[in-house]
Amino acid sequence: MNNFMNISELIFKLGGTGSVSKLLNTNPSTVSNWKKNNKIPKSYMNELDILLKERNLITFTENEDDKSITPIRKNSKFSILVIISGGVSCYKILELIRLYYKNDFDIEVVLTKSAQKFITPLIVTSLINKKCFTELFSSEENENMNHINLARNKNLILIAPCTANFIAKMTHGIADDLALNIILASNSKIFIAPSMNPYMWENKATQDNLETLKKRGVVLINPNSGLMACGENGTGRLPEINEIFSFTTNYLLKKDVKKCIGFQSQLKILITAGPTQEKIDPIRYVSNNSSGKQGYALAEEFLKLGAHVTLISGPTNINKPNVNKFIEVLSAEEMLSQVENNIDCDIFISSAAVCDWKLIPYTLKNKKLSNNDKLKKNKDIFFKLETNPDIIKSVSKNKKRPRLVIGFAAETKNLIQNAKKKLKEKQLDMIIANLIEKENAIFGEEFNKIFIIDKQCNIQESEKLTKKEIANLIISKTLKLHEETYAKNYNRKSISI
Ligand code: C5P
């Protein structure tokens, strides 16, 4: 089975003895015995494996010398505290915390008393594999200072749904439960996603309170309009979960790019995308099925974060993103020359599917034929393969090498081994590997599933996500690596978030 934790740790990660015994339909005392003996009977292994996989906790080894593959949320970059106050839309927030968890966030959750009327701490724990906090005063020694511990070192605190009552108490500095104590003690950026009856929302008291909070720097994620759970129509619906997710994650990533802006005038990204086209004659060519979608998504998402983006693209059928500089090329040689012209950047991401060879027509007498004239159907022609330049390798070795050079590896088998080999041979800082198979066709598709491998050969696996989501995952990892590698150059005071 997995090789990364002992039985107690494993049970803890699944929510503790009580929840494991419920999940496996066995007695809590049986589970306690497993912990004591550090052993689980074989008959439960399969079921446990499934539970771990469902929670993205499984690690496995592809090869003897491979390191374990860990879910992408490990070593998470951003730390978020979600406070759930008591509204009917509480249940929707479960999907939000699942999204944060799935996407690499270090997440803590606090439930208010009223929220616990709608959802339980146990559901939260089983989603994030962590304790869900509810009490200000606890008999457990290490929880004595919950409100202070939870208020510290958070990149963001989100209150969702945020009730009219919670807004009012926040405005007046009332601290009569754990959640409100955290807010008073916190030095983090606070976001609120209100949800309430339209009349409560429009009430002058609520609106005045919101104005006060905004003046204090609290960020409001405005509610939507529509039919409410109470049957009335108007403004007060909790925004869609993906809206709250994008709003908060964009804030964090933007802050991240701004850090880099402090590093140089503006973070400069160079991206190649799409296939290359290798001319055989004026009307024939060799190419591949790359759509360019993943590279374009990376360009668009980096641009949204305020980076300066140059996109060098092979021929594609998709809309050109509105990047700072867009350069169209056909062949690998043209792509190389444009990459060299634009090598003055901070990060180079080579997502292009560059053709490895071109076909050169020869006569049987070994005479090279010109590719300027259409080749005639002629049995006397044969083709020699000529190797194309390896663009990313030449960038890696270039004197003007960007700080980070990141490649892609699309493979049909031995994915991790082949990707690692390329990482090493091409001297990359990171490689994004994806397996091309029937279920994960990738080329031309809207979805992708990737493994991110760094220089230390740590491997992190994503779920199957849209190419935009994958782009944000890659960006988050890239910025983290950039920060780790060059942290000493940052002006930390001006970048704290
Ligand atoms: O084609 P291959 O699997 O070797 O591609 C791995 C990485 O190398 C990709 O990032 C790709 O963009 C880059 N590459 C390149 N020039 C080539 C072939 C691949 O830059 N001629």
Side-chain angles (χ1 to χ4, degrees):
M1 203 169 60
N2 72 74
N3 50 12
F4 75 108
M5 48 179 122
N6 65 33
I7 301 302
S8 296
E9 195 185 343
L10 184 147
I11 290 167
F12 174 77
K13 297 234 174 212
L14 284 170
T17 309
S19 83
V20 171
S21 66
K22 270 189 203 147
L23 290 166
L24 295 179
N25 209 6
T26 179
N27 288 326
S29 57
T30 313
V31 179
S32 297
N33 278 337
W34 297 348
K35 287 204 292 190
K36 224 182 281 165
N37 304 328
N38 200 28
K39 211 170 173 184
I40 294 180
K42 269 202 177 128
S43 51
Y44 286 96
M45 288 291 206
N46 278 347
E47 259 180 285
L48 261 176
D49 238 10
I50 293 167
L51 289 176
L52 286 165
K53 272 196 181 129
E54 278 172 3
R55 285 156 180 76
N56 217 2
L57 279 170
I58 198 81
T59 67
F60 58 91
T61 310
E62 261 211 350
N63 219 318
E64 287 272 282
D65 60 343
D66 274 343
K67 284 199 178 175
S68 292
I69 296 176
T70 58
I72 252 167
R73 70 169 181 285
K74 285 208 167 169
N75 301 318
S76 50
K77 176 169 176 52
F78 298 117
S79 152
I80 292 194
L81 172 72
V82 178
I83 293 174
I84 307 182
S85 71
V88 195
S89 51
C90 271
Y91 72 94
K92 295 187 184 170
I93 301 304
L94 296 175
E95 176 58 17
L96 180 67
I97 61 176
R98 201 187 65 83
L99 264 180
Y100 284 135
Y101 180 71
K102 199 173 87 175
N103 281 284
D104 199 20
F105 291 87
D106 177 12
I107 173 163
E108 310 257 26
V109 178
V110 169
L111 286 189
T112 65
K113 274 223 160 50
S114 328
Q116 289 171 64
K117 304 266 184 211
F118 297 96
I119 55 175
T120 64
L122 182 62
I123 304 179
V124 174
T125 298
S126 55
L127 287 174
I128 62 170
N129 293 298
K130 254 191 194 172
K131 183 178 168 62
C132 166
F133 294 87
T134 54
E135 301 305 321
L136 181 57
F137 304 109
S138 165
S139 52
E140 289 176 48
E141 209 180 297
N142 58 352
E143 286 172 23
N144 274 341
M145 281 297 190
N146 266 350
H147 63 292
I148 302 297
N149 296 335
L150 288 167
R152 291 288 163 263
N153 302 321
K154 298 288 177 288
N155 297 116
L156 188 153
I157 296 180
L158 169 72
I159 305 140
C162 192
T163 61
N165 178 49
F166 202 92
I167 290 171
K169 285 186 170 178
M170 255 178 96
T171 310
H172 296 285
I174 295 172
D176 60 359
D177 68 1
L178 174 63
L180 287 156
N181 269 277
I182 292 171
I183 300 295
L184 267 192
S186 133
N187 54 357
S188 312
K189 193 78 186 160
I190 297 176
F191 281 56
I192 56 173
S195 165
M196 64 194 73
N197 169 278
Y199 283 96
M200 289 170 91
W201 169 254
E202 274 158 27
N203 193 298
K204 184 112 183 24
T206 306
Q207 289 302 320
D208 285 353
N209 289 339
L210 286 169
E211 275 314 306
T212 309
L213 291 180
K214 280 198 271 181
K215 272 186 207 143
R216 288 182 200 154
V218 171
V219 180
L220 172 67
I221 310 178
N222 270 316
N224 287 342
S225 300
L227 188 65
M228 309 291 295
C230 58
E232 289 182 10
N233 234 314
T235 304
R237 275 171 65 94
L238 186 79
E240 295 303 320
I241 292 310
N242 57 4
E243 286 173 344
I244 304 180
F245 182 73
S246 311
F247 199 96
T248 47
T249 50
N250 266 351
Y251 166 83
L252 292 171
L253 287 171
K254 253 185 197 153
K255 284 273 179 192
D256 232 43
V257 171
K258 280 192 183 137
K259 286 181 202 176
C260 301
I261 291 168
F263 185 95
Q264 268 203 348
S265 56
Q266 189 180 21
L267 189 75
K268 280 176 101 178
I269 313 288
L270 175 62
I271 299 172
T272 62
T276 62
Q277 225 176 62
E278 309 302 329
K279 178 177 167 184
I280 294 175
D281 71 11
I283 50 173
R284 301 182 181 98
Y285 59 81
V286 177
S287 189
N288 58 59
N289 285 334
S290 168
S291 67
K293 285 180 185 167
Q294 188 62 75
Y296 281 37
L298 274 165
E300 276 170 351
E301 296 308 302
F302 259 121
L303 197 74
K304 279 187 202 162
L305 298 173
H308 179 284
V309 181
T310 300
L311 177 60
I312 301 175
S313 172
T316 67
N317 290 320
I318 53 176
N319 290 339
K320 289 174 197 164
N322 197 17
V323 287
N324 303 82
K325 205 166 169 190
F326 183 80
I327 302 166
E328 276 174 297
V329 295
L330 284 177
S331 66
E333 266 165 21
E334 280 172 44
M335 190 174 267
L336 173 65
S337 134
Q338 288 299 343
V339 165
E340 283 172 349
N341 290 346
N342 291 280
I343 200 164
D344 176 22
C345 64
D346 302 300
I347 300 170
F348 173 54
I349 303 184
S350 177
S351 72
V354 185
C355 289
D356 291 317
W357 320 279
K358 52 190 168 197
L359 298 182
I360 312 293
Y362 279 82
T363 66
L364 286 182
K365 288 184 180 147
N366 223 5
K367 185 173 168 272
K368 193 171 175 178
L369 289 164
S370 155
N371 63 5
N372 291 330
D373 299 315
K374 186 185 168 190
L375 293 175
K376 296 292 168 209
K377 282 179 214 156
N378 184 341
K379 283 183 191 145
D380 291 345
I381 294 177
F382 77 101
F383 292 95
K384 280 189 187 176
L385 287 182
E386 201 169 283
T387 313
N388 267 331
D390 192 315
I391 301 170
I392 201 166
K393 203 170 175 177
S394 80
V395 171
S396 275
K397 292 186 170 169
N398 197 300
K399 269 191 211 145
K400 294 183 185 163
R401 186 189 198 277
R403 281 197 288 278
L404 294 182
V405 177
I406 297 170
F408 275 69
E411 301 289 337
T412 51
K413 58 182 178 187
N414 299 333
L415 176 68
I416 302 295
Q417 279 150 287
N418 285 332
K420 277 182 178 178
K421 207 167 150 222
K422 284 180 185 166
L423 178 87
K424 214 169 166 187
E425 276 174 10
K426 301 186 188 223
Q427 298 174 15
L428 310 182
D429 297 287
M430 198 161 89
I431 195 157
I432 319 298
N434 36 29
L435 193 63
I436 307 279
E437 52 185 1
K438 258 194 184 153
E439 297 78 42
N440 197 33
I442 298 171
F443 282 148
E445 293 297 314
E446 299 305 324
F447 290 89
N448 200 354
K449 175 179 165 56
I450 56 163
F451 293 82
I452 300 181
I453 310 174
D454 65 18
K455 262 200 219 160
Q456 289 72 39
C457 286
N458 295 308
I459 307 165
Q460 300 187 306
E461 179 188 6
S462 81
E463 296 193 21
K464 192 166 182 177
L465 299 167
T466 63
K467 289 189 172 170
K468 183 178 161 179
E469 286 168 326
I470 291 284
N472 277 311
L473 214 56
I474 296 170
I475 290 174
S476 163
K477 287 285 154 200
T478 304
L479 295 176
K480 184 176 178 205
L481 181 62
H482 190 261
E483 182 184 326
E484 279 168 3
T485 321
Y486 300 97
K488 59 181 183 299
N489 294 314
Y490 287 117
N491 174 1
R492 292 217 154 258
K493 258 195 181 155
S494 64
I495 58 165
S496 65
I497 49 177

